[in-house]
Amino acid sequence: MLITAVTTVGVQTTTVIRIDPFHENVSEDVKKWIKTFELATTVLGWTDGLQFVRYPADLKGSARHWYCGVAKPNLMGAPTKWAEMKKSLRGCFLPYDYDSYLVQKLKNLTQGFNESCENFLNRAISLFHKIDSTTKDGIVMSSIIEGLKSEFRATVRTMRPSDLQDLRKACQIVERNYEDLKHKRSNFYHERKNFKAQKVPTNIV
């Protein structure tokens, strides 16, 4: 759906925001879709009531069939508020063990062998938001630090980052220093190897 907002502040401007429809395909995440829908419509100044009235236009395929059979306002027991509708959408289109799955992923949260600190932080923060967007930064930071590669973890911890932004900066510094040191060691190894190869043996008569 394309949503158009017209605002007048001296000069009239038009903003068009695209919200992709939700079909219930395997590749779609209903929680992510709800978040995108809310962010876009909040920018446009939509109230919860307007979100509740307008969201059905973005349901397609199986999701549309579910709405027509279960969630239409004229049906008995159907949600009557946007907050209720969000809960109903999550309950229907998330796997029954989804929360347990996310918690298990969180317990096993570790930085990949070739994964940058930046990518790991983004992945970890996204996972926390999926579980509970109100989780305190201190808990998120502690879990992220524990999941860092061993060569980064201790140094980042000693830097005592105060918030997620500080943690991101600390990880960038430690990772950059580590890569610089690794590069210097590699250069030293190759220079030493070349030096040995260039040495001319002395023949003793």
Side-chain angles (χ1 to χ4, degrees), residues 5-15:
V6 179
T7 57
T8 304
V9 184
V11 179
Q12 191 177 64
T13 60
T14 302
T15 302

Side-chain angles (χ1 to χ4, degrees), residues 53-99:
V53 171
R54 296 291 298 275
Y55 90 93
D58 285 324
L59 300 181
K60 307 295 180 185
S62 299
R64 184 70 184 180
H65 293 315
W66 166 82
Y67 170 77
C68 292
V70 176
K72 263 192 171 182
N74 62 331
L75 297 173
M76 185 177 296
T80 58
K81 300 177 182 178
W82 176 237
E84 294 174 359
M85 182 57 69
K86 287 192 294 183
K87 185 176 180 180
S88 187
L89 279 165
R90 293 190 190 104
C92 181
F93 297 115
L94 286 176
Y96 75 94
D97 58 347
Y98 183 74
D99 288 339

